[in-house]
Amino acid sequence: MKIIKTFLATLLFSTIAFSGMAQSNASSASRRAHSAAHQELLAGSKSRIDKTVITDMVSHDVIAREQISGLSAESSKLIDDLLDEGRSHLGKKYVHGAKGPNTFDCSGFTSYVYKQFGFNISPGSRIQYTQGKPVARNELRKGDLVFFTSRSSGNNVGHVGIVVTADNETGKFTFIHASIRGVKISEFEGYYVPRYVGAKRIIEK
């Protein structure tokens, strides 16, 4: 009888101990799962915060650059839309004297694009060169008109395009224009370098 009581007592103690261990393990597993979920949430939150901070930094940097160049955020958006309009005509054919919207010559293209945003500039490149504010080549920005002569020397304006991008530290820029091969974006290099005449700014602020 004594042996049986001892056995039952041992069995009861073992059951309680096992139950306690199971509860402890379950509780520990629960805490680990909760901690993991918390860390995941925190990581996600940190990622979102980082993205917001980076976005704000980029936004402030863009605004600062625009303010330095004297270009307001509104004008920057206007010029972006103007350039999008120009890009929508990429590949359209060149026809001398054509003013769009299906075919263009160089000044017909620039005057057409600007006209879509309420700016009435001459459809002739030589007269366009008398309009707007003169801009030095190391101060170009998007939206400026750039002029070229059709000859390898001289200052007679014979071609015009719209600046798309400008790196004034290197002097390089790209421009969209109606070339004899159609509307395209070109880099300021090679053929165009000795033919550059000057630039004018239509959208000033």
Side-chain angles (χ1 to χ4, degrees):
M1 185 68 178
K2 185 176 181 180
I3 294 173
I4 293 173
K5 287 182 178 180
T6 302
F7 174 74
L8 290 174
T10 302
L11 180 63
L12 178 62
F13 176 79
S14 298
T15 301
I16 293 171
F18 179 77
S19 175
M21 288 176 62
Q23 289 177 354
S24 176
N25 288 339
S27 177
S28 178
S30 176
R31 284 195 300 272
R32 285 197 300 271
H34 177 77
S35 178
H38 178 71
Q39 290 299 324
E40 183 178 354
L41 181 62
L42 182 62
S45 175
K46 184 177 185 301
S47 175
R48 289 193 294 274
I49 292 171
D50 288 346
K51 288 178 182 178
T52 300
V53 170
I54 291 171
T55 300
D56 287 345
M57 287 175 64
V58 171
S59 177
H60 289 315
D61 183 60
V62 169
I63 292 172
R65 289 176 182 272
E66 289 173 349
Q67 290 175 340
I68 289 172
S69 67
L71 186 62
S72 68
E74 291 79 8
S75 291
S76 180
K77 178 62 167 61
L78 172 64
I79 294 172
D80 285 339
D81 291 342
L82 183 145
L83 291 174
D84 284 342
E85 170 67 25
R87 291 188 190 94
S88 73
H89 300 286
L90 284 170
K92 289 189 176 179
K93 292 183 178 181
Y94 176 94
V95 174
H96 180 70
K99 310 305 178 189
N102 298 315
T103 57
F104 300 93
D105 66 5
C106 65
S107 54
F109 173 72
T110 53
S111 62
Y112 177 87
V113 171
Y114 265 93
K115 188 175 182 179
Q116 306 315 301
F117 296 87
F119 296 90
N120 292 312
I121 59 176
S122 171
S125 59
R126 292 186 181 182
I127 299 179
Q128 282 183 19
Y129 189 56
T130 68
Q131 300 176 306
K133 176 184 176 181
V135 182
R137 204 174 90 185
N138 63 351
E139 295 179 349
L140 290 175
R141 71 184 184 205
K142 61 185 181 180
D144 288 343
L145 296 176
V146 281
F147 298 86
F148 306 87
T149 179
S150 56
R151 302 174 182 176
S152 58
S153 61
N155 293 316
N156 292 325
V157 173
H159 190 63
V160 61
I162 306 172
V163 174
V164 176
T165 62
D167 184 343
N168 291 322
E169 292 185 3
T170 64
K172 294 182 178 181
F173 64 88
T174 62
F175 59 103
I176 186 168
H177 60 132
S179 73
I180 58 173
R181 294 182 178 83
V183 178
K184 60 183 292 190
I185 295 176
S186 297
E187 294 187 7
F188 179 63
E189 61 182 12
Y191 172 89
Y192 298 104
V193 175
R195 291 172 170 79
Y196 182 83
V197 175
K200 290 297 183 72
R201 182 163 296 161
I202 304 300
I203 302 174
E204 296 188 26
K205 296 181 179 180

